[in-house]
Amino acid sequence: MDLECLPYGAGHEDEGICVWLRMGPHRILLDCGLRDISVLLGEQSRLRVADLVLCSNANADRARGLLYLHRAAPSLPIFASEVTAQLLPLNWLDETEVPAFCQGLPWRSPVELQEDLWVELFPAGHLPGGSLLRLTYSGGDYPCTVVYTGDFLLSNSRLVDGLPLEELRALAPDVLIVEGSYGTARYPRRRTQENQLAERIERSIATRESVLLPVSPLGLAQELLMLLRSHHHFTGRDLDIWVDDTIAAGCDAYLQLLPHFLTAVQNFARHQPLFWDDRIRPRMRRLTPEARSSLGKTPAIVLISAESEVSPYCQRGSWMILLQQQPGYPSAEDNLEVASSASIKIETYLLSEHCDVAGTTQLIHNLRPQHVAIVRGSPAYLADLSNLEELRNRYQLHCPASGTLVELPLREKFVPSELTETQYEGEISEHEWGVAAILPAAIAADARWQQFADTGVIETRWQGDELVLRGISQRELLERGRDRPIPAEAPFCANCTHYRAGQCWNQASPLWGFKVAPDGSCPVFEGRD
């Protein structure tokens, strides 16, 4: 089974996400968030043999190169969820004409895109239309499955539900390509973060400061607007919320997607406009040139695209500029250019759009893949995540840089034998010399008994209110009997960089995938640095 991936963009800093994947005879491009797609069109590019493109969501770092890719290869089919297909044109508002080149796919319904190649989409919870993709190749002697998360969030946000983890537990893919934006960081619950941000904005308004929020025009902007419309700090307050043209275009697109939002959002929209409203306070309005010239006269909240310059908006009055934190990267404040003015303050806030370490590891442990490839985020954060012992000891981890081909060889899946679960009743008795347990002779007829009673030595421990018995194997007895230390410089398995949890993880070794003794050795030993 030929299975490999190559990130053209691994999502480090601002390079965008673009991952080439090969499954048997099929070549798939996952997302295309590159600013410059020339790398996809060169002589050595694997795009020359790509069969199709799948887009996980409409954010710029996932989708901004798709229009130019379509122009360069018009016959290359591009697929996404139905909602994402409707939101994609927002990435090219400066283009005079954007054709409908993306084909929409339904939720939770396997679709055969090529012969024996199936894809199934699940909501990823990051923003409307954001998808987790399950790719299955059913041809050949060994079918395989790859899950690609795109951007995902387990927590519910203001507009969409979180990733439905309970629906994914049975997927058991061979390979998981997962984003690791927040690395090993842990953050408060999203509702706590929202309340902290609302309180910070309220303090500025109370001191007659206007608040400027440069944000992503798709996703975060609409989340913040819903927060400001519904939070008790602002409900009924005589306050204007201004939105620039780029964000306004995203809001207009969202209004066409109401059936795809949460029931609570749909109910809200039945009683009052979701975004544009001059009657109900706080008033939400488009930022016209006339309104822009009067900003600062009275306290207001202004949302602009993160790509815009901030100085033209802060010409008069006192301002608080709030910048979203990007975990793993220097503060955006370092690159912010504002006019020298004592009336401008700059602070940062956190509003999670991705899972922290608890959510990321929870997803991985529930899916239980053989290989985990981690992309998107600060290289240092991705390295921290891939070095977690709880992941290194269970999975084959990859943290590829852009342009690095990763081969994903698969081992044969273990199919457990059918064993009848039988309960045995026995007796226990206490003596001066200890406690004896007497079990019926029928237990020795069980196929598992020989392994359990191999040495006649058992180990017992409490598990809640139950007592668990475990047989000790000959190998374990021998290992416990070894009391001589292993020299740090000796070429033994215990000193090999591929030795983890008593198992060899070196694919070049004949012992790969087996339990090995710490004092064992092989011809492909690699010492730890």
Side-chain angles (χ1 to χ4, degrees), residues 165 168-173 361-369 395:
L165 188 58
L168 309 179
R169 291 194 174 101
L171 296 186
T361 54
Q362 184 181 2
L363 176 69
I364 294 173
H365 292 328
N366 273 273
L367 295 183
R368 304 184 306 280
Y395 315 101

Side-chain angles (χ1 to χ4, degrees), residues 149 152-155 163 165 168 176 178-180 182-187 354-367 385 388 390-391:
T149 66
F152 74 101
L153 184 64
L154 296 184
S155 303
L163 178 75
L165 188 58
L168 309 179
L176 172 64
V178 62
E179 63 128 330
Y182 293 170
T184 57
R186 294 181 182 272
Y187 296 111
H354 308 268
C355 281
D356 64 3
V357 64
T360 303
T361 54
Q362 184 181 2
L363 176 69
I364 294 173
H365 292 328
N366 273 273
L367 295 183
L385 186 61
L388 285 178
E390 65 174 292
L391 299 181

